[in-house]
Amino acid sequence: KMPNTSSITQFLLLAFVDTRELQLLHFWLFLGIYLAALLGNGLIITAIACDHHLHTPMYFFLLNLSLLDLGSISTTAPKSMANSLWDTRTISYAGCAAQVSAFVLFVTAEYSLLTVMAYDRYVAICKPLHYGTLLGSRACVHMAAAAWGSGFLNAVLHTANTFSLPLCKGSTIGQFFCEIPQILLLSCSDTYLREFGLIVVSAFAVFGCFVFIVVSYVQIFRTVLRIPSQQGRHKAFSTCLPHLAVVSLFVSTVVFAYLKPPSISSPSLDLLVAVLYSVVPPAVNPLIYSMRNQELKEAL
């Protein structure tokens, strides 16, 4: 008789380190990154909300990006810090489901929003005369709502699917937060094909967004290179570079995490990569956006 799923009341997360000194080091390191993310994103949200010069589509989307970054890092980091501090590895069944759904929501919505931001840059540079009509305030709210909505829908589908599977291969998750691929490894039934189907559908959507971003940038670069003055070219590029940097960081770490060959896979490398795509971007994005941006610096 297979043990029933309902008998699992908690999962064991992967600990970063075993010795107490290193656990505390991990706690302080994560706390530093988390506080940096809270401060950076908090400042950007406050500046954009309070400065009416920044009430433009580009900054409206940036404000949403900062909210999503705060959400995604708050999903994974605090629990991991608490576990290191109290020298434990457990997470409750409900806590694990909540972590999975929140993480999928924020990551999906962030990727959708980065796609919308590519469209915003495309219209601003390639169709500047139509910018006001194509990206009016209602259109912007609808696009942002669509990004959040896609995250919510994806989260509900994946969480419901993953947690309806019977789990019989123990309760140890090989990651520092609850993640769908790791939970699927604990499943012992063939129904994981259903979740696999969902992942394939999601992968198509991800690829579609990626193609859209690439095509947008090809058009942007073609337009920018036709600008006669060097100053004009520089100004146009500088509004795109932060977005391009954030997209590259986001896509490259996620792709490496999920598509790296098994031959180079090791628990410590998997952990490092997970930190790279789940904890680092929310802390780094505010820096990327505010470094080159004069308007944002002045508002801050």
Side-chain angles (χ1 to χ4, degrees):
K1 178 180 170 294
M2 291 193 321
N4 191 2
T5 317
S6 56
S7 62
I8 295 181
T9 55
Q10 57 181 25
F11 293 95
L12 289 176
L13 295 172
L14 193 61
F16 273 95
V17 282
D18 297 333
T19 63
R20 193 70 192 122
E21 290 78 17
L22 287 174
Q23 276 181 341
L24 290 174
L25 179 67
H26 161 243
F27 168 78
W28 288 111
L29 185 68
F30 260 44
L31 183 65
I33 296 174
Y34 187 52
L35 290 177
L38 288 182
L39 180 69
N41 289 297
L43 280 172
I44 284 186
I45 291 166
T46 313
I48 294 172
C50 299
D51 187 339
H52 66 92
H53 292 116
L54 300 184
H55 291 183
T56 63
M58 183 170 106
Y59 291 110
F60 170 69
F61 294 134
L62 181 55
L63 179 132
N64 277 277
L65 185 74
S66 286
L67 286 171
L68 289 167
D69 277 335
L70 282 181
S72 73
I73 195 168
S74 298
T75 304
T76 55
K79 179 63 186 166
S80 183
M81 291 181 335
N83 279 4
S84 280
L85 191 59
W86 309 125
D87 189 18
T88 169
R89 292 172 53 195
T90 59
I91 184 169
S92 68
Y93 189 84
C96 190
Q99 222 177 28
V100 164
S101 59
F103 192 69
V104 172
L105 188 159
F106 292 124
V107 169
T108 307
E110 178 150 340
Y111 189 56
S112 308
L113 191 71
L114 288 171
T115 309
V116 169
M117 290 167 91
Y119 176 70
D120 166 69
R121 292 299 81 212
Y122 163 74
V123 176
I125 289 169
C126 304
K127 295 186 161 45
L129 299 176
H130 300 284
Y131 192 71
T133 44
L134 288 174
L135 284 153
S137 50
R138 276 185 65 179
C140 291
V141 169
H142 287 162
M143 287 180 200
W148 285 87
S150 67
F152 184 73
L153 183 69
N154 214 8
V156 169
L157 288 172
H158 281 291
T159 311
N161 228 339
T162 304
F163 285 90
S164 65
L165 299 175
L167 309 176
C168 62
K169 296 181 183 169
S171 60
T172 306
I173 291 173
Q175 188 53 278
F176 75 97
F177 62 97
C178 284
E179 198 184 30
I180 290 174
Q182 296 294 338
I183 296 168
L184 292 183
L185 293 177
L186 305 177
S187 163
C188 47
S189 73
D190 296 334
T191 43
Y192 76 83
L193 285 172
R194 202 176 47 182
E195 175 59 23
F196 184 72
L198 253 185
I199 290 174
V200 170
V201 172
S202 298
F204 270 109
V206 166
F207 185 67
C209 287
F210 183 69
V211 170
F212 182 87
I213 293 172
V214 170
V215 171
S216 299
Y217 269 100
V218 169
Q219 299 287 357
I220 286 170
F221 288 143
R222 282 173 58 185
T223 306
V224 170
L225 293 173
R226 287 203 292 265
I227 296 174
S229 74
Q230 193 176 356
Q231 196 186 1
R233 282 200 298 270
H234 180 76
K235 188 167 186 278
F237 269 131
S238 67
T239 67
C240 298
L241 283 176
H243 176 258
L244 205 52
V246 169
V247 170
S248 308
L249 178 70
F250 186 81
V251 173
S252 56
T253 50
V254 171
V255 165
F256 184 70
Y258 289 108
L259 300 180
K260 64 177 183 298
S263 55
I264 60 163
S265 203
S266 72
S268 49
L269 180 70
D270 293 351
L271 260 184
L272 184 69
V273 172
V275 171
L276 274 181
Y277 75 81
S278 64
V279 180
V280 173
V284 176
N285 287 354
L287 275 177
I288 295 176
Y289 266 101
S290 53
M291 259 181 351
R292 298 288 301 270
N293 192 318
Q294 208 49 48
E295 290 177 312
L296 201 54
K297 278 183 187 165
E298 284 164 14
L300 287 171

